[in-house]
Amino acid sequence: MTLDIASIRAQFPSLHQEIDGHIPIYFDNPAGTQVPQRVIDALVNYFTRMNANQGGAFATSHATDSVVDDARQIVADFINAPQAEQIVFGPNMTTLNFAFSRALAQTLPDDAEIVVTRMDHDANVAPWMAVARDRNLPLKWVDFDPETGTLDMNSLESAITEKTKVVATVHASNALGTINPVKKIADMAHNVGAIFVMDAVQSAPHVPLDVQQIGCDVLLCSAYKFFGPHIGIMYARYDLLADLPAYKVRPSKDKPPYRWETGTPSFETIAATAAALRYIESLASDRPVDGNYDGQTLRLKQAMLNLQDYEATLAKHLINGLEAIPTVTIAGITDDDKLHQRVPTVIFVKEGHSPTEIATHLAKNNIYVWDGDYYAVEVMARLGRTDTGMVRVGPVHYNTIEEIDTLLNVLNDM
């Protein structure tokens, strides 16, 4: 399927708004994507037609219950979770991971070891650092190759021992863009009886997800990275959700997923999350998909493959264009024949200009990008960029080749 990009862009009001007389180009997507009109409509519809707490005996409460049930199911279908009850909503991925890690920490033996990587966003590092500190446990670091931007699997193999109880890695790096071999990592963790916690925040907008095929015990992601509202999502094995000592108030239900959703959920953003996934589903086509999928799950997989195919063209054009500028240096995978190993998020520096100067210059030309470390603290340390970070450009499927050319022209003229 060839995506109708004009039709897609027409569904995003912010892609057409003028700011100071100009329409911006949004390449800040790894920090949060724009949303289609149906997501905005879902928020408005919730507040105007069913604004109530859950579990009541009246109509608007019943409607809220239905909205939450529907959202859990479509999220479960999006990642191919066995049960909707394995989907937990929370304020953000970071908060959910701190809650999960804190509960798991109470069950770890005194000689447990925890494995994290230098490629991860700090949201899948700091919670485990806190567990290691609070329980006085060893924290082992897995390195990545700064030349290729790929995870050092030998380093991972050396870090995992019979004492390892947690392996926490990112699926796709929010800085380097690298897609890690997560099924292999899950197998390595399970071979020693460890839990594999996977950060899918940056993979969810770009690649099809299947928790059963990957074998992760926990998956964390954020709806605002895949065209939805600011809300976090956690999937976990049902036994973990049911048995771990979750921190909760006494009156709340002591069964998954409710025992993990502390306080009143954000029903309006839960409704909008379902709308964001229905938007993605609308981009499906009749194409073959590896795996035994049907119904909504199949359509979501087809849609994500369509996005992935189109974004591969964006990534190739962006990387080739940046490499054609002599003063630009990219970190991460750049070979055309290896671009399937990355998402289109690209980081770079330009000789003679700091990342902040570049981001500021681009902003003056109505091009929105990020600079700094974007919470990938260890990535920047490993690349020797702790002080300044790097520039990050992150196209998604509503971006165009023409927008990338505009970026490249502005950079080339600096």
Side-chain angles (χ1 to χ4, degrees), residues 64-355:
T64 293
D65 292 339
S66 295
V67 161
V68 175
D69 291 345
D70 173 68
R72 284 197 214 282
Q73 186 59 61
I74 195 169
V75 172
D77 290 341
F78 182 54
I79 63 173
N80 198 33
Q83 300 172 252
E85 291 78 13
Q86 292 173 270
I87 304 302
V88 178
F89 294 111
N92 48 64
M93 171 272 193
T94 306
T95 299
L96 287 168
N97 205 19
F98 269 110
F100 178 82
S101 62
R102 186 172 60 214
L104 183 65
Q106 298 181 68
T107 71
L108 297 178
D110 291 339
D111 63 347
E113 297 175 351
I114 299 171
V115 175
V116 296
T117 89
R118 299 196 184 280
M119 188 183 284
D120 275 64
H121 186 289
D122 216 49
N124 204 25
V125 174
W128 304 111
M129 293 178 71
V131 169
R133 179 197 65 217
D134 294 347
R135 289 293 315 277
N136 194 29
L137 301 175
L139 185 74
K140 293 187 172 181
W141 290 91
V142 176
D143 203 1
F144 69 91
D145 185 338
E147 295 299 319
T148 65
T150 57
L151 198 64
D152 184 341
M153 297 302 288
N154 292 327
S155 175
L156 177 62
E157 186 175 5
S158 298
I160 295 175
T161 72
E162 293 299 322
K163 293 184 178 181
T164 302
K165 298 304 176 187
V166 179
V167 177
T169 79
V170 68
H171 187 188
S173 170
N174 78 312
L176 297 160
T178 307
I179 300 173
N180 286 321
V182 285
K183 187 180 188 305
K184 183 176 181 179
I185 295 171
D187 290 343
M188 293 170 71
H190 295 159
N191 285 341
V192 297
I195 290 172
F196 176 42
V197 180
M198 187 178 82
D199 172 0
V201 170
Q202 290 299 324
S203 56
H206 302 292
V207 301
L209 294 173
D210 185 336
V211 295
Q212 297 185 69
Q213 189 272 333
I214 293 169
C216 56
D217 302 289
V218 181
L219 176 149
L220 298 136
C221 62
S222 303
Y224 69 97
K225 302 300 176 77
F226 55 81
F227 323 108
H230 290 91
I231 187 172
I233 297 166
M234 178 173 72
Y235 153 86
R237 282 183 3 225
Y238 191 86
D239 62 303
L240 294 174
L241 295 177
D243 298 338
L244 286 177
Y247 287 70
K248 60 179 286 296
V249 296
R250 290 173 295 173
S252 67
K253 297 176 184 178
D254 195 23
K255 63 179 183 178
Y258 311 103
R259 63 197 306 268
W260 294 90
E261 293 175 343
T262 55
T264 301
S266 174
F267 301 120
E268 64 275 15
T269 56
I270 291 172
T273 297
L277 290 175
R278 289 212 162 81
Y279 161 73
I280 291 176
E281 184 185 359
S282 74
L283 304 177
S285 62
D286 186 15
R287 63 178 293 168
V289 176
D290 292 336
N292 187 25
Y293 306 115
D294 57 18
Q296 190 166 250
T297 304
L298 174 61
R299 293 190 297 274
L300 286 162
K301 293 293 178 290
Q302 290 171 329
M304 289 306 301
L305 288 170
N306 288 335
L307 300 194
Q308 189 175 34
D309 288 349
Y310 175 70
E311 289 178 350
T313 67
L314 297 180
K316 181 178 180 179
H317 194 76
L318 173 61
I319 290 170
N320 290 345
L322 288 171
E323 288 190 312
I325 302 174
T327 54
V328 166
T329 302
I330 301 171
I333 296 168
T334 58
D335 293 348
D336 282 357
D337 59 351
K338 294 182 180 179
L339 294 185
H340 63 282
Q341 298 176 21
R342 58 139 56 240
V343 296
T345 300
V346 180
I347 56 174
F348 67 91
V349 290
K350 189 174 193 292
E351 186 180 333
H353 302 278
S354 73

